[in-house]
Amino acid sequence: MTRLGMVMDLDRCIGCWACAIACAMENHVPQGLWWQQVLTVGGNERDTSGGEFPSLIKSYQPTNCAHCAEPPCIPACPTEAIYKRADGIVLIDYDACNGCRDCIPACPYDAFVFNAGEPLAPGVEPGDGAAEVMPRRPGVVEKCTFCVHRVDQGLAPACVAACPTGVIAFGDIADPESEVARKAARPGAVRDKPELGADPSLVYLPYTKGARQRRSGYAWS
Amino acid sequence: MAGPGTAVGGAEHVAYTACAANCGGRSRLACTVRGGRLVKVEAAPFPDERYTAACLRCLAFPQWVYSPERLQHPLRRVGPRGEDRFERVSWDEALGDIAAKLRELHDRHGGQSIAFTRTSGASAFGNFHRLSSLLQATNFVGGVDMAVHMGLNTALGYRGMYAQDANEWTDRPNAKVVLVWGNNPAETSMTSFRFLLDAQEAGTTIVVVDPRYSATAMHADWWVAPRPGTDTALTLGMLHVIAAEGLVDEEFARAHSTAPLLVRADTGRYLRQSDLTEGGSSAFMEWDPDSAAVRPLAESPRPALEGAFEVGGIPVETVYSLLRRHLQAYDPERVAEITGVSARDITDLARLYATAGPATIGYGYGVDRYVHAEMVTRAGAILALLTGNIGRPGAGVGVASHGGGAYEASLADPMPLPAWARGSAVPNIDVGALPLPVRALVNQGDWLNQRVAANDRLRGFMSELELVVTIDSFWQTSCRWSDYILPASTFLEANEPVRDVLVTRNSVLLREKVIDPLWESRPDADIERDLATRLGFGEYYTASAEEMAQAAVEGSSSPRMAGLTYERLRAAGGALRLDAPDAPHVQYDDLRFGTPSGRGELYVEDLVPLGQHFPIHVEEYEASLASADVQAFPLVFTQNHVRQRAHSSFFNSAWTLGIWPGPILELHPADAAARGVAAGDVVEVFNRRGRVVVHAVPNPDYPPGLCNITEGWKQQQFIEGNLQSLTNPTPSPAQELLWGQSNIPFYDTRVEVRKYPGPAAAAP
């Protein structure tokens, strides 16, 4: 059975947010909300490292709905607005959503955002982006759809197409012949918070370069 | 069911163009237009599919184009200059007034009384170069990011100020070692960075030289962090090791560099045949060991690489002997003290570069913005010439500019001007420092924010001008000093089906119209044409943009464009590959250099009076530890380029502002703590030249003693002050001597930082 998923190779991620901006444009996500974000793993502020110069450690981690095999959001929704397609994509029926937001804490991956009627970004109007993407009414939750409207046309999600360094592989991770499944099977591939049992379809190849890197410079030689 | 896949419909079309910003990336873009609105931007297929990519800057174009900062109507100043009070006027009134004033100044004081500045991002056919030439006006030229090119041009031969690129980006996997030097493509050239990642995955060793732990440095196999501005010393240390350990490719140096050329001990000039023979030629001379005599360049089968000789009573020595002696002062121990990079690391880096190649050096503008920066790349060229790391796949030295290094072809000048139509040039670094005959200034873009250092010193100059006009798409720093503000369309807007045409990355691309000009804005080319016509130059502006594009393509004399017609370009959707080989372009693959000797120049005789005939480490410059300002202004202040802007272009895209909300001062946590500064505090950054007030973020990616505000924020995005009021306007004597103008050393700047006692603005 098909199980669409993503493998993100963090050794290729440069933290540029092209994925997230392509997502926001494609899906006309309201300003200030993100269906996809690029987390800085390191320091407390965006783009800063942890540790002390020069023993720094920093990596970037794109994150979005993991379209889990066992999505904890589905049983958490009192109006049964969240459902999973046969290909594994987890979607929200916006008409059925009552805005209670019980899904937000139920999700281990911070995938859901609540649209309280946030304006779109300056320069973006309802209906911009992909024509197939439905504008959401205020008062519902929303999240990454794996760009289901593109998937149904045989296209990769907008973030995958936009990434300039080829971080994200997308496809059927249940098909052992697929590129995405081969990457997911690489040594070191991890899923976030596996102990929670959601079985996410978002797999990371962790950032490894920092630990292997030689460093030479004036503050420590 | 109202599911996420429900279509809302609507007629739409896709228009194709290419980015025009000065990152140089020139991504080819597919722009979705629905109901006349730009609603989506994506990468469009490039003829070479490896270049099909767009970065976040392009993706956010809808917000940039429709931004609230767009200038919508012509404006005229009311009240004193600098008070930001303007009234709306018609195009006819604005251009009529401007033309009348320009005509009056031209008649009374000559064309040189009118100065033009221009900017990237405008149409190639609307950059006001034609009008400034027809007026015989002054052009304010240059700025930053020239010194690295000057150094390479000096060493390897002039091929245009901005054409000294390393090999094409796609060549990186052919290298075994790549030195990414003062270059941060992961944050500036995102669509090119993948070629470094691909090379690394294929086994290439990536060395990143940068004082800061950049997003590029975090991907390096080896991160080398010298003190800011000590890159020439680091290079000379590597050269010392290479020469001392016998790692020089002597056959290559003998055949392709000036290493065996003889230099007169008495004058420091190259020995020429005319020095020895009455009526002799200007040929450079070498020592032929077999005949124990001098011979003109390239006539000896195996000229001496080393040695001192006496020829006709003149003591001479080979360049290579002089260089070896020069390098003795740059032993790794001394260079370690200058750079902070250990002697062992300098030695290892030299060995890696010289023996593990082919090796490529790709410079960025991080090394460019110090007063003696041209010597960095002169020294880098010597590295390449002494080790044979130039002119073959995987081996090259140059600037790793975003779109550069590919096969090039020139477009024709679609409407050549008469010979008398020629303006004059004044380097930007001299404006405000030298008396100028200028009485009117026509700014295209944000000159005050981007092209001048210590800009407070221009207040007098700006105040005394009789006319200041700014042409731009957005409200910005230069607008505030203007008498008239003219709203230009962005490069996505046009009145005609075509805007212009360009050659980039082995291809010819057409910029189609994407949307109509917004509000009352007009394309630059329309503004120039209208103003020129009012000034009586209408006969030089008769062709449409499409006719210009056709003439530019079909009039090209480049063999790589042979047979390429405009019709074919249109039929192909506006993108065609040049007639160029599939293999990545290799710079200098013929090993011919455009220098006086035709060789790669190790030694520059014109710089003997400055003591810089070989690159040297200059002890004292503002950012150095030897600076007299170290106590008063302990922090070196840089302004690196960032992901979300190309210089100041796209400063206002709402999505990127949602991620990076405004300017911040980043500094080492210990430097912040010593000043009582915590994350989010408002600080004043100041020196003798100026000040700016921003929020601070302690960031351990910066070494102690270095702080930074990223380049390209507009004055209105700061709490107070102006970023460019701080920067160093000191020209380089060597650059002025060799090139007639100097780069602006923006990074060669010291500041102090204190918590700002004044009223704190809202948090970012």
Side-chain angles (χ1 to χ4, degrees), chain B residues 428-589:
Chain B
N428 277 315
I429 198 167
D430 294 333
V431 181
L434 300 179
L436 297 172
V438 172
R439 292 164 181 266
L441 181 63
V442 181
N443 274 317
Q444 191 181 36
D446 197 354
W447 177 70
L448 276 175
N449 209 60
Q450 298 299 124
R451 297 288 182 107
V452 287
N455 61 12
D456 276 354
R457 72 178 183 162
L458 269 68
R459 284 176 183 277
F461 170 78
M462 294 299 290
S463 302
E464 288 165 18
L465 290 169
E466 294 176 39
L467 176 68
V468 182
V469 180
T470 291
I471 303 157
D472 201 341
S473 305
F474 303 96
W475 174 255
Q476 36 87 330
T477 308
S478 297
C479 291
R480 322 180 84 140
W481 288 87
S482 301
D483 306 323
Y484 291 89
I485 301 171
L486 303 179
S489 307
T490 68
F491 70 89
L492 300 171
E493 300 154 54
N495 296 317
E496 303 175 60
V498 165
R499 187 155 166 123
D500 59 6
V501 64
L502 70 154
V503 172
T504 184
R505 297 182 190 258
N506 314 319
S507 301
V508 188
L509 305 183
L510 204 59
R511 286 201 183 98
E512 299 178 354
K513 165 186 171 174
V514 177
I515 52 175
D516 288 326
L518 291 172
W519 298 286
E520 283 187 27
S521 74
R522 295 168 65 175
D524 309 89
D526 279 8
I527 301 171
E528 181 177 344
R529 179 188 295 121
D530 193 337
L531 187 56
T533 303
R534 289 168 192 263
L535 288 164
F537 299 123
E539 64 187 289
Y540 302 106
Y541 289 87
T542 52
S544 69
E546 184 149 38
E547 288 165 343
M548 301 264 280
Q550 181 165 3
V553 168
E554 296 182 354
S556 171
S557 56
S558 289
R560 291 182 185 132
M561 289 186 63
L564 205 160
T565 64
Y566 186 73
E567 193 179 341
R568 272 188 59 213
L569 184 60
R570 290 297 321 240
L576 278 176
R577 188 174 166 87
L578 298 174
D579 184 7
D582 289 335
H585 182 237
V586 172
Q587 300 280 14
Y588 301 110
D589 57 352

